[in-house]
Amino acid sequence: MINASLSPSSTELVINVLAMVLEQGKPLDRAYSHHFSGLKLAPSEQARITSVTGDILRRLNLYCYLADISTEDIERMGSRLLNAWHMFYELPIPKLQYTLAIDEEDFAKRLASAKEDPALFDGCPEWLDKLGTAQLGEAWPKERAALAQAPKRYLRVNALKTTAADLLSQLAREGVEAREVPGVPSALEVISDAALFRTECFKQGLFEQQDAGSQHVAAAVAAEPGMRVIDACAGAGGKTLAIAAQMQGKGRLLAMDVEQWKLDNLKQRARRAAAHNVETRIIASSKTIKRLKLSADRVLLDVPCSGLGVLKRNPDAKWRDTPERLPVLVALQKEILQSYSRMVKVDGILIYATCSIMPEENRQQVDAFLSANPNFSFIDDETVSVAETGFDGFYLARMKRNQA
């Protein structure tokens, strides 16, 4: 997508989206929705705008340094930022009515200097680089660089309605090029610029858009038809629907969350996917959990986390979050793990998961839980590395309840 200059109108849209995210604090998806609403953009042009905006946010401090502006100046000096972005990729600068030029000699000096600072070149804020270095040591630079890359587009084949081979054929007939993903049988990688949500395949519920790493976590639940399974932090329900397919629609799958609107959205997605064994339940209080004590064969806890494994997909989080937020999340994770684990029955499996690659949120949480709960035993765990897989980064651990 980064192979041609933006049109003047698209450049203005990118600046407006960035300003809404960085100066008004709006989430990126809401900023897109606000600015795309009512516009008749071609799918290819909308994709270019989101691609360029995402790239700028993934390495915002780099492009601001090259443009010699601060992140607080986007709305006022956005044209200078976009000019620097075009110069970085050696693309012709758009001809805007009002623009702030950049001295080419100064730009070249700044670019050479930035290349000597790997963290800056990877678009990593100082707080995150310190955290990553402290938690991952020598492994951090590769993960940091991988998080600066554009995310790939993955689909999960809905096994309740189709197969990977059939879906590939149907997508091809609609002009969507895709291919299988080694090691993740449920996943397809989309390799063409296609408006997926306008396809008949999507309308028929033949797939969900879901990162391959996320699908790998859902597969670890290993749910079987007839089981009672609880997805206790269901959120938007991507993993819930993947588990429903594992269960072939047989058994009871309870999706729970503290926010009703998420469960309402999940109900709609479940109907489209023909996931008829999905039930939803709001977590209104601790009593909701107590009533389900020792009841489930599988409990998935995809807990709230820093999201530091999915920054290439949610790059605005780097510029909104602070290091002070992590201890609060770690405390919440510990509380959820201790409380919600009560729902696992004897010989049942507890699956703890995050979309983070930081040990403090992952293995350290698991070790602390097992130390305090000898009635559970460790089975295995895995970190889905961004650098090694190209997927988003995730962690999962499986534990077995041996006694009540």
Side-chain angles (χ1 to χ4, degrees):
M1 299 296 296
I2 303 174
N3 53 12
S5 299
L6 287 171
S7 67
S9 60
S10 292
T11 300
E12 294 289 354
L13 268 173
V14 170
I15 293 170
N16 290 337
V17 169
L18 290 171
M20 181 170 277
V21 170
L22 298 169
E23 297 185 19
Q24 298 179 34
K26 300 293 185 184
L28 182 57
D29 57 347
R30 293 187 189 176
Y32 284 142
S33 178
H34 175 83
H35 286 289
F36 290 160
S37 178
L39 295 179
K40 293 183 179 179
L41 291 172
S44 59
E45 188 61 16
Q46 183 169 312
R48 273 190 55 73
I49 292 168
T50 57
S51 176
V52 173
T53 305
D55 183 75
I56 290 174
L57 284 171
R58 275 187 289 277
R59 297 199 281 187
L60 179 66
N61 54 346
L62 169 64
Y63 297 126
C64 282
Y65 174 73
L66 295 176
D68 192 19
I69 66 172
S70 74
T71 56
E72 290 78 29
D73 293 331
I74 302 299
E75 190 166 23
R76 186 170 59 89
M77 305 182 72
S79 66
R80 188 175 176 90
L81 177 69
L82 268 291
N83 287 345
W85 181 87
H86 280 83
M87 292 171 71
F88 179 82
Y89 284 104
E90 300 180 349
L91 298 171
I93 292 175
K95 295 184 183 214
L96 302 177
Q97 185 174 3
Y98 302 103
T99 189
L100 296 170
I102 294 177
D103 181 78
E104 291 187 11
E105 185 176 343
D106 181 64
F107 177 87
K109 288 179 180 178
R110 286 177 174 272
L111 180 58
S113 176
K115 288 179 178 178
E116 298 298 317
D117 185 343
L120 174 62
F121 201 76
D122 290 337
C124 187
E126 186 177 352
W127 72 266
L128 178 56
D129 197 46
K130 287 182 178 179
L131 177 65
T133 300
Q135 298 243 341
L136 294 174
E138 294 180 358
W140 171 240
K142 287 185 178 180
E143 298 294 330
R144 183 187 64 208
L147 288 169
Q149 304 305 308
K152 296 178 181 178
R153 300 170 80 194
Y154 294 103
L155 308 178
R156 181 184 60 79
V157 180
N158 182 9
L160 293 171
K161 287 194 168 187
T162 189
T163 64
D166 287 346
L167 181 56
L168 279 170
S169 297
Q170 292 185 65
L171 287 171
R173 286 196 290 272
E174 294 196 64
V176 180
E177 294 181 61
R179 60 190 176 196
E180 295 182 353
V181 179
V184 189
S186 60
L188 297 178
E189 180 188 351
V190 178
I191 54 177
S192 63
D193 177 19
L196 293 173
F197 299 126
R198 299 184 188 183
T199 63
E200 283 301 314
C201 289
F202 176 74
K203 294 173 185 176
Q204 294 170 15
L206 303 186
F207 70 82
E208 290 283 339
Q209 187 162 282
Q210 184 179 16
D211 183 77
S214 178
Q215 295 181 50
H216 187 69
V217 172
V221 176
E224 298 174 7
M227 281 185 170
R228 181 180 176 123
V229 180
I230 298 175
D231 183 356
C233 306
K239 295 182 182 69
T240 304
L241 297 179
I243 295 167
Q246 292 174 20
M247 299 173 73
Q248 300 172 24
K250 301 171 185 175
R252 188 177 181 191
L253 175 53
L254 184 59
M256 306 174 71
D257 203 89
V258 295
E259 297 186 89
Q260 185 64 51
W261 69 271
K262 292 181 179 179
L263 297 177
D264 291 341
N265 288 345
L266 173 54
K267 288 178 186 178
Q268 296 178 8
R269 295 174 68 191
R271 281 194 292 270
R272 186 177 63 241
H276 302 307
N277 65 328
V278 174
E279 304 173 39
T280 61
R281 186 175 303 178
I282 190 76
I283 301 175
S285 70
S286 59
K287 292 180 180 178
T288 308
I289 305 301
K290 289 179 181 177
R291 293 189 189 104
L292 294 166
K293 184 178 180 180
L294 299 172
S295 67
D297 297 287
R298 301 282 190 275
V299 172
L300 171 61
L301 299 181
D302 185 9
V303 298
C305 71
S306 65
L308 295 179
V310 296
L311 288 177
K312 62 181 180 178
R313 200 169 301 279
N314 302 309
D316 50 320
K318 284 196 286 190
W319 317 109
R320 189 169 55 245
D321 285 350
T322 64
E324 290 76 26
R325 182 168 170 259
L326 186 58
V328 176
L329 286 167
V330 168
L332 177 60
Q333 293 160 1
K334 182 178 180 180
E335 179 183 337
I336 290 174
L337 188 50
Q338 185 62 46
S339 176
Y340 291 20
S341 63
R342 290 178 289 177
M343 297 186 289
V344 183
K345 72 181 189 181
V346 175
D347 292 329
I349 305 298
L350 172 66
I351 303 93
Y352 174 83
T354 74
C355 54
S356 174
I357 53 176
M358 299 299 168
E360 186 177 1
E361 299 180 84
N362 297 338
R363 184 57 187 265
Q364 291 176 24
Q365 286 281 32
V366 170
D367 287 344
F369 172 78
L370 291 171
S371 178
N373 294 272
N375 50 335
F376 279 87
S377 59
F378 179 78
I379 300 175
D380 55 20
D381 74 342
E382 181 179 359
T383 299
V384 179
S385 161
V386 186
E388 292 176 8
T389 65
F391 307 156
D392 285 343
F394 291 89
Y395 173 81
L396 68 95
R398 298 191 294 181
M399 295 162 275
K400 180 179 180 180
R401 179 186 282 278
N402 300 306
Q403 59 188 46

